[in-house]
Each structure stands twice: as C-alpha cells, then as structure tokens.
C-alpha cells in the first residue's frame, strides 16, 4: 500500500523535477495520514521560489525587473489601487506554458508618510469631537505641513464661548407671557473664528505634493468648546493618489500591471 502511494506521489511531480503537468486523477488518503516534504533534507531545493516584500516602490520595481530578466519570465503583476499595493507572481506559468505553483512572488505595500497617515485617520472619524487644547497641540505637532500654523494656533487659543440671554414679555387684556432664551456665541479674540486648516504633504515618498482643506466646526458641550474636523475632498484625493501609484508602476515595470487583486484559486 505504501509503495503504491509513493509511486503515486512521484507520478504527480511532488518530487519537484521537471515533468509534464500533474495527473488530474484524485489521490485518496486517510484522515490520519500525514505527508511530509523531504526537500529540506536534500542539498538543494527542488525549485527556486522567493517571497520578496517591501514598502519602497523603487526597490520593488527593480527586483521585479531583474528577477523577470534572470528567470526569462513575464510576471503576473496586479495593483490594488485602494490599498496602494502591488503583487508580482513569477511562476504562474512555466517555460512550457503549463500552470505553475504561484509561490515565487514579490509584493509592495506603500507606507504612508506621517502627515498623510494623520489625514487618513481624521477622514475615518468624521464624527469625532476634539477639545480646544488638542487641536492647538495638533497644529504645533504638525506645523511643518500646515499653512500659517502660528496664526491658526493663536486663533484657536483665543476662542471663547459667550452666553447670550434674551428675554421677552408681552401683556394683553387676558394674559401675560414671559419667555427667556439663552444661546452661545463662539468668537476669537485674535480675529475671525478659523473655518479651514490648509495642509500640504507628499502622501508617499516620491509622490506629487498634495494640498487639501480641513473644515472646522465649533460647538459647546458642558461649557467646553468642542471642535469637529472634517477633511474635504478626501475620496477624490485618494483616487488621484491611487492613479499616480498605478502610473508609476506602469512606467517603471517591464510588465504591464493589472488593476485589482490576483490570487491562485484553490
């Protein structure tokens, strides 16, 4: 029984030697039977396969181009524009145009620059309220990328909430009415209440500098000023950055990338 099983394994190319495509005939094994790969006991691996990963687009493109040329293959390159990531599969087909194992790969997932990472977090939390102090500290921490940070910090520091009371009374022959209303007005002693924060940044290393606006809305809760920050045009900006990523890969890679994700089906 074991001898026949071993012969079956050899015939389906699990030994790793170059041979025609594996037999489509199913191989039935008992649930408690384990198969072990003996490759690690040999002097050499059965076939070359690597899994390269990086956050640097130039390093990724360089590796893909060199490895493709050395192996004399055209890699299958996919681009996920939403995540700004890419994957290349080198052995999706062998030299005989037969299906490969798809385990010789390279991948790149871009690492957002600090300011862009902050913008992404802010855009995902549109309902979050910030204290006056936290916004002032945020401007101080990221002043390098903010337009006129000193003026903005001064305006936020002098924000104050004024309580305005209004009283009315009316009298008639048959009734007398009194009413009182109280409202809160927010103003800045150093000028107008800021409505926009303008930031400029490179989303990823080597990418075009982008500029966007953050809208500021103020409210009062328990006598404390609360600020809501909303990134304007974020989705449109994200699409522009994704298109730039794809265009850069198309320019620098020797193979034409496909938009989307590609994984070998089971």
């Amino acid at each position: 029984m074991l001898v026949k099983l071993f012969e079956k394994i050899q015939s389906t190319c699990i030994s790793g030697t170059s041979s025609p495509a594996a037999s489509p005939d199913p191989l039935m094994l008992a649930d408690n039977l384990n198969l072990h790969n003996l490759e690690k006991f040999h002097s050499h691996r059965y076939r070359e396969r690597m899994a390269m990963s990086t956050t640097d687009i130039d390093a990724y493109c360089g590796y893909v181009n060199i490895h493709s040329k050395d192996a004399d293959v055209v890699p299958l390159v996919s681009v996920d524009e939403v995540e700004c990531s890419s994957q290349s599969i080198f052995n999706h087909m062998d030299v005989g145009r037969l299906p490969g194992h798809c385990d010789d790969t390279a991948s790149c997932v871009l690492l957002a620059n600090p300011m862009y990472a902050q913008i992404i977090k802010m855009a995902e939390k549109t309902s979050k309220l910030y204290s006056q102090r936290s916004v002032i500290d945020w401007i101080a921490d990221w002043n390098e990328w903010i337009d006129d940070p000193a003026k903005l910090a001064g305006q936020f520091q002098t924000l104050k909430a004024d309580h305005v009371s209004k009283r009315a009374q009316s009298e008639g022959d048959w009734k007398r009415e009194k009413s009182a209303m109280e409202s809160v007005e927010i103003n800045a002693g150093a000028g107008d209440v800021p409505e926009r924060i303008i930031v400029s940044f490179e989303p990823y290393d080597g990418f075009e500098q982008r500029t966007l606006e953050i809208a500021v809305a103020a409210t009062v809760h328990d006598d404390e000023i609360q600020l809501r920050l909303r990134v304007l045009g974020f989705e449109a900006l994200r699409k522009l950055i994704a298109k730039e990523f794809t265009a850069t890969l198309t320019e620098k890679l020797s193979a034409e990338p496909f938009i989307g994700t590609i994984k070998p089906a089971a």
Side-chain angles (χ1 to χ4, degrees), residues 7 11 39 94 96 109 232:
E7 291 175 349
S11 68
E39 181 186 40
D94 65 15
V109 180
L232 302 179

Side-chain angles (χ1 to χ4, degrees), residues 3 25 32 52 67-68 72 75 78 93 112 139-140 166-167 188 190 201-202 209 212 258 262 266:
V3 174
D25 297 334
N32 60 349
M52 181 269 194
H67 192 50
S68 302
D72 192 25
S78 59
M93 285 190 180
I139 292 172
K166 295 181 180 180
R167 298 181 181 275
F201 55 90
E202 286 185 0
Q209 180 168 293
L212 56 74
F258 295 92
I262 301 176

Side-chain angles (χ1 to χ4, degrees), residues 7-241:
E7 291 175 349
K8 182 66 175 178
I9 292 173
Q10 282 187 318
S11 68
T12 54
C13 303
I14 295 179
S15 62
T17 57
S18 298
S19 60
S23 169
D25 297 334
L27 178 65
M28 293 183 293
L29 301 174
D31 291 339
N32 60 349
L33 183 62
N34 296 323
L35 293 178
H36 297 276
N37 189 351
L38 303 180
E39 181 186 40
K40 61 183 179 181
F41 298 107
H42 288 250
S43 301
H44 305 282
R45 296 200 300 168
Y46 294 151
R47 54 189 172 80
E48 180 183 3
R49 57 200 185 277
M50 303 290 179
M52 181 269 194
S53 63
T54 182
T55 60
D56 187 288
I57 192 169
D58 289 329
Y60 172 71
C61 293
Y63 177 85
V64 171
N65 291 339
I66 292 174
H67 192 50
S68 302
K69 184 178 180 181
D70 291 344
D72 192 25
V73 297
V74 178
L76 187 62
V77 183
S78 59
V79 180
D80 186 343
E81 291 188 328
V82 176
E83 300 296 334
C84 275
S85 64
S86 176
Q87 183 183 49
S88 295
I89 302 174
F90 300 100
N91 60 341
H92 59 99
M93 285 190 180
D94 65 15
V95 292
R97 303 291 295 174
L98 295 172
H101 289 271
C102 297
D103 55 1
D104 188 13
T105 64
S107 62
C108 176
V109 180
L110 294 188
L111 184 64
N113 282 335
M115 187 70 235
Y116 185 44
Q118 281 286 308
I119 294 298
I120 293 173
K121 290 180 181 178
M122 188 177 294
E124 292 173 347
K125 298 178 180 179
T126 55
S127 61
K128 182 176 179 179
L129 292 175
Y130 300 84
S131 69
Q132 191 175 352
R133 181 75 257 170
S134 65
V135 172
I136 295 170
D137 291 342
W138 185 84
I139 292 172
D141 291 341
W142 302 97
N143 67 87
E144 181 180 346
W145 295 274
I146 298 174
D147 185 34
D148 206 350
K151 179 182 178 181
L152 275 174
Q155 289 176 321
F156 280 112
Q157 284 174 341
T158 56
L159 283 182
K160 62 179 182 178
D162 293 331
H163 291 264
V164 180
S165 297
K166 295 181 180 180
R167 298 181 181 275
Q169 178 174 324
S170 63
E171 295 189 20
D173 293 337
W174 305 100
K175 64 180 179 180
R176 174 183 294 178
E177 291 183 355
K178 291 184 178 180
S179 65
M181 294 182 296
E182 186 175 57
S183 61
V184 179
E185 293 181 355
I186 298 174
N187 57 68
D192 296 333
V193 176
E195 297 181 353
R196 296 284 190 274
I197 299 174
I198 301 174
V199 295
S200 299
F201 55 90
E202 286 185 0
Y204 302 102
D205 287 340
F207 276 52
E208 179 183 341
Q209 180 168 293
R210 306 287 179 172
T211 299
L212 56 74
E213 295 184 349
I214 302 171
V216 181
T219 186
V220 176
H221 181 68
D222 292 336
D223 293 331
E224 294 289 334
I225 295 177
Q226 301 287 313
L227 300 167
R228 178 177 285 108
L229 306 180
R230 182 170 61 90
V231 181
L232 302 179
F234 177 70
E235 289 304 323
L237 175 68
R238 204 168 195 174
K239 288 183 179 179
L240 289 175
I241 294 171

